[in-house]
Amino acid sequence: MARKALLRRISFYADLDDADHEVIMEINGRDQHFEKNTEIIDAGQEMDSVLIVKEGWAIRYKTLEDGRRQVLNVLLPGDMFDLQVLVAAESDHSVKTVTSLKGLSVRPSEFRRLLTESGKLTLAFWWMQVQEEAFLREQIVRNGKQTARERIGHFLLELYRRVLITGAGAGAGTEEGFRIPLTQTVIADALGLTPIHTNRVLRQLERDDLLERDNGWILFKDQRRLAEISQFDIGYFHLDAFRMRLGRE
């Protein structure tokens, strides 16, 4: 259920009691299913709900007039889009599925009710937004200052950690690596590269014995060295919020 995926995600940021669990599990919404490569939201479209991802992957992106695309971030189970509906009527970006996707559509009034039910839930959602902003900051630094090799390594390690946290599908993440449904074109559009250069760098990472690609999986052969090369530091995930647990002094 989308509610369970959301509950798993926000449980990283708060010690939720039975009453909080009940509030989440009783969210009133409409189940939706989208096929692979479906445009869920178009830039400029009026929005009327928040969608909580239950299963599947999607991308947020913006397209320039000449057709060039910038992928802004990747949406996984437990993620929500778009909270912008709470303050604006039109979307300023597009959302497209990269796999089939199941979600729960929640009206803004229902989501506002959810935020008033529990202070711990409100803080947990706030921490989720802090983390998403941190991901976007890393995206700016990654694309603005890192080499193609560093960008790809950093991006893959980020997605891997997110998959482990969200449990994005049975068997999607293990100690060795994770299943990634993104095409090289999507990865290239996320990192400001061409698909040809992306493929070239991935092959070089394989030759350097840092990772292996196997039937849709990325298998890490030396995560520590890849993290050093990519300057990947998981601190921007703010998982100390999980250790500290909101609601405790």
Side-chain angles (χ1 to χ4, degrees):
M1 296 174 64
R3 299 167 184 84
K4 289 184 178 179
L6 177 62
L7 187 58
R8 177 184 172 89
R9 174 78 189 279
I10 66 174
S11 291
F12 272 85
Y13 302 106
D15 276 326
L16 304 179
D17 56 28
D18 291 343
D20 298 315
H21 284 217
E22 186 175 345
V23 169
I24 293 294
M25 298 308 293
E26 291 183 353
I27 297 175
N28 184 26
R30 178 167 56 92
D31 289 324
Q32 290 192 280
H33 178 266
F34 302 93
E35 298 297 331
K36 180 179 178 180
N37 294 326
T38 298
E39 296 284 347
I40 300 178
I41 297 174
D42 289 317
Q45 177 181 330
E46 289 193 5
M47 300 178 297
D48 61 2
S49 63
V50 175
L51 190 69
I52 303 169
V53 180
K54 171 190 174 184
E55 296 177 4
W57 291 41
I59 54 171
R60 298 178 192 261
Y61 70 94
K62 298 195 74 165
T63 304
L64 301 180
E65 290 183 0
D66 60 4
R68 285 175 294 166
R69 179 178 70 173
Q70 175 65 54
V71 172
L72 305 172
N73 64 355
V74 179
L75 295 163
L76 302 179
D79 287 339
M80 299 178 297
F81 63 93
D82 206 313
L83 294 183
Q84 185 179 341
V85 71
L86 301 179
V87 295
E90 294 183 354
S91 176
D92 59 10
H93 63 279
S94 302
V95 177
K96 183 178 183 178
T97 64
V98 293
T99 68
S100 62
L101 185 144
K102 295 180 181 179
L104 183 72
S105 180
V106 181
R107 301 285 294 180
S109 58
E110 175 68 7
F111 197 81
R112 292 190 187 95
R113 181 194 66 77
L114 176 67
L115 295 178
T116 63
E117 292 289 329
S118 165
K120 284 189 292 185
L121 285 178
T122 300
L123 287 171
F125 282 117
W126 178 78
W127 266 110
M128 283 180 63
Q129 294 308 301
V130 167
Q131 190 183 69
E132 182 166 338
E133 289 179 7
F135 291 158
L136 292 174
R137 286 192 292 271
E138 287 298 310
Q139 174 81 329
I140 292 171
V141 174
R142 189 161 54 208
N143 289 0
K145 293 298 181 181
Q146 289 194 313
T147 66
R149 180 182 174 90
E150 291 169 336
R151 290 183 212 180
I152 290 175
H154 194 284
F155 183 67
L156 293 177
L157 288 169
E158 177 182 281
L159 284 175
Y160 173 58
R161 296 310 193 283
R162 289 183 60 197
V163 166
L164 292 182
I165 288 171
T166 61
T174 69
E175 291 184 2
E176 289 76 30
F178 70 116
R179 187 188 302 277
I180 177 170
L182 305 182
T183 65
Q184 289 183 18
T185 297
V186 171
I187 295 173
D189 286 349
L191 300 178
L193 304 170
T194 66
I196 292 175
H197 193 38
T198 298
N199 180 263
R200 186 181 300 124
V201 172
L202 284 168
R203 286 190 283 110
Q204 184 61 55
L205 291 173
E206 288 183 293
R207 286 194 293 268
D208 292 342
D209 213 27
L210 290 168
L211 58 81
E212 177 182 345
R213 289 178 289 173
D214 181 21
N215 195 29
W217 282 73
I218 293 290
L219 302 173
F220 297 109
K221 304 185 78 172
D222 193 336
Q223 283 192 53
R224 183 190 60 78
R225 188 156 70 94
L226 183 61
E228 289 177 354
I229 290 170
S230 307
Q231 301 184 60
F232 178 81
D233 181 352
I234 201 172
Y236 71 93
F237 274 62
H238 298 293
L239 293 181
D240 51 350
F242 168 69
R243 293 189 293 271
M244 293 164 57
R245 291 295 192 173
L246 295 177
R248 292 181 181 174
E249 296 297 333

